[in-house]
């Protein structure tokens, strides 16, 4: 017995698809004589008026006509719009065709940082006042703490004094950090270049001012923070519990936010400069010191959504560590 090659039936909705030519009778195929119509989420066979919202369900409806299997593959023709039965005729209009012009690109504001930092308006909230009262009453005083030496943290200054002793004279220092470039070392403020690091370090300062005394009893730590953004305002939350208002400072220009927080009975210190994603108006920004966090409200100028609180680092530069 010679086996016959099976043929493919191209009738719409044929459940068999493959058939033997010798078994192809006048009613061998049950199919739909029309193609399905899709309109407003409804799929419908126009030949038998059956419809469904689900395409798989529509295909499961048995055909409404019978006939022989069709081995002829239909020619590929460009799709024509299917007109619903009883649909109102299209109205002719004299309107000119719509021309979609490209949207006008608004210029990106130039991010020019101002030089001076302005102290931000700072409010001590009632929740923090109550928490500090509780902290002061529960703190155990230390009897006769050992004196420690305090050092000046200004660049180029090595002055130090012992707690309880006399303060040193005015500070002669470098206001800018050192720069290292192509084998040369120099202070960013006075630009006198050296090839030897020790000579650069011993170069006298170019500015006279006050010492910046560090406190060895203060422990520098990282601090968790997050932010919430809307087009006109960015709220930065720094989770420093029990901030000490007299030891905290907040300053900013239009591009930079400088944060200095001392908090808790352990005297933990968090410092960070935020290189802001875009520009702000420091005169309208507000800092609220709460019992469990520091809330900084940055008013944007101009208003616009920010993708993050800080600008991403330049390509090839290491990213900032987690604070």
């Amino acid at each position: 017995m010679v086996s016959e090659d099976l043929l493919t039936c191209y009738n719409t909705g044929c459940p068999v698809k493959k058939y033997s030519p010798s078994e192809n009778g006048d009613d061998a195929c049950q199919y739909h004589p029309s193609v399905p119509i899709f309109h407003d989420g409804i799929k419908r066979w126009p030949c038998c008026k059956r419809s469904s919202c689900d395409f798989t369900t529509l295909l499961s409806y048995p055909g409404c006509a019978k006939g022989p299997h069709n081995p002829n593959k239909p020619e590929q023709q460009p799709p024509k719009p299917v007109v619903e039965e009883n649909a109102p005729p299209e109205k002719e209009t004299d309107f000119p065709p719509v021309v979609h012009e490209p949207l006008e690109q608004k210029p990106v504001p130039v991010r020019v940082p101002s030089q001076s930092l302005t102290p931000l308006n700072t409010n001590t909230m009632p929740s923090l006042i109550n928490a500090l009262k509780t902290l002061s009453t529960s703190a155990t005083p230390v009897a006769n703490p050992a004196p420690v030496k305090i050092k000046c943290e200004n660049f180029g200054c090595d002055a130090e004094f012992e707690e309880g002793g006399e303060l040193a004279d005015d500070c002669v220092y470098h206001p800018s950090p050192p720069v290292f470039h192509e084998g040369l070392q120099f202070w960013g403020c006075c630009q006198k270049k050296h090839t030897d690091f020790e000579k650069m370090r011993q170069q006298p300062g170019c500015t006279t001012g006050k010492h910046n005394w560090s406190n060895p009893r203060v422990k520098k730590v990282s601090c968790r923070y997050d932010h919430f953004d809307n087009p006109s305002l960015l709220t930065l939350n720094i989770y420093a519990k029990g901030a000490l208002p007299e030891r905290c400072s907040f300053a900013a220009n239009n591009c930079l936010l400088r944060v200095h927080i001392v908090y808790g009975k352990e005297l933990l210190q968090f410092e960070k400069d935020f290189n802001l994603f875009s520009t702000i108006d420091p005169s309208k920004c507000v800092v609220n010191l709460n019992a469990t966090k520091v809330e900084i409200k940055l008013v944007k100028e101009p208003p616009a959504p920010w993708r993050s609180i800080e600008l991403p680092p330049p390509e090839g530069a290491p990213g900032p560590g987690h604070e």
Side-chain angles (χ1 to χ4, degrees):
M1 179 178 180
V2 179
S3 60
E4 293 181 306
D5 292 334
L6 297 180
L7 302 179
T8 300
C9 177
Y10 291 99
N11 285 337
T12 307
C14 174
V16 178
K17 296 300 182 185
K18 296 289 186 180
Y19 69 96
S20 173
S22 61
E23 299 176 356
N24 188 18
D26 292 339
D27 57 354
C29 180
Q30 186 174 2
Y31 64 99
H32 292 283
S34 60
V35 295
I37 294 175
F38 304 89
H39 181 69
D40 289 343
I42 302 297
K43 294 82 173 170
R44 183 165 64 89
W45 292 110
C47 47
C48 54
K49 310 298 184 183
R50 303 195 69 176
S51 61
S52 174
C53 295
D54 181 65
F55 183 66
T56 303
T57 303
L58 184 77
L59 292 180
S60 66
Y61 293 149
C64 58
K66 289 188 176 182
H69 290 292
N70 176 20
N72 300 318
K73 186 175 181 179
E75 296 181 0
Q76 295 291 337
Q77 297 180 352
K80 297 181 180 180
V82 178
V83 181
E84 284 280 345
E85 295 180 4
N86 301 324
E90 295 185 0
K91 297 181 180 180
E92 295 184 1
T93 61
D94 296 331
F95 295 121
V98 177
V99 178
H100 296 280
E101 297 181 355
L103 296 176
E104 180 182 358
Q105 296 292 332
K106 296 183 178 180
V108 179
V110 180
R111 190 176 184 274
V112 180
S114 56
Q115 296 299 320
S116 59
L117 296 177
T118 304
L120 302 184
N121 295 325
T122 304
N123 302 317
T124 303
M125 309 307 289
S127 61
L128 177 60
I129 296 175
N130 295 332
L132 293 179
K133 288 179 180 178
T134 304
L135 181 65
S136 62
T137 56
S138 61
T140 303
V142 179
N144 300 324
V148 296
K149 289 185 177 181
I150 300 178
K151 297 181 179 181
C152 178
E153 291 191 346
N154 286 337
F155 292 115
C157 180
D158 296 328
E160 62 180 29
F161 80 102
E162 194 172 89
E163 282 185 320
E166 296 183 359
L167 292 175
D169 299 329
D170 291 338
C171 180
V172 180
Y173 66 99
H174 295 282
S176 299
V179 178
F180 303 90
H181 181 66
E182 294 183 352
L184 298 176
Q185 300 94 35
F186 56 94
W187 297 103
C189 45
C190 45
Q191 300 289 320
K192 184 178 179 180
K193 295 178 173 58
H194 302 272
T195 56
D196 182 70
F197 174 75
E198 193 62 27
K199 288 183 178 180
M200 182 207 68
R201 198 184 69 82
Q202 293 176 0
Q203 178 185 331
C206 58
T207 302
T208 301
K210 294 182 179 180
H211 289 284
N212 179 19
W213 301 114
S214 65
N215 190 340
R217 300 188 190 279
V218 174
K219 180 182 179 182
K220 294 184 178 181
V221 295
S222 298
C223 206
R224 183 172 67 90
Y225 59 85
D226 58 27
H227 71 280
F228 300 94
D229 182 68
N230 66 48
S232 60
L233 181 73
L234 184 138
T235 302
L236 171 63
N237 294 314
I238 302 175
Y239 296 95
K241 185 176 181 180
L244 306 177
E246 68 280 1
R247 297 195 178 193
C248 297
S249 63
F250 307 90
N253 59 23
N254 63 333
C255 293
L256 179 74
L257 170 65
R258 178 164 294 168
V259 173
H260 175 89
I261 304 173
V262 178
Y263 64 99
K265 62 181 180 180
E266 300 89 355
L267 297 182
L268 305 177
Q269 177 178 290
F270 171 71
E271 290 181 314
K272 181 171 174 62
D273 285 352
F274 290 88
N275 186 22
L276 299 176
F277 183 83
S278 189
T279 52
I280 63 172
D281 185 350
S283 64
K284 298 180 181 179
C285 299
V286 178
V287 180
N288 295 325
L289 303 179
N290 298 281
T292 57
K293 67 178 181 179
V294 174
E295 181 185 65
I296 306 175
K297 295 184 177 293
L298 302 176
V299 178
K300 301 176 182 178
E301 184 59 43
W306 291 7
R307 292 197 298 270
S308 62
I309 187 173
E310 292 189 273
L311 277 178
E315 293 185 6
H322 175 68
E323 297 292 343

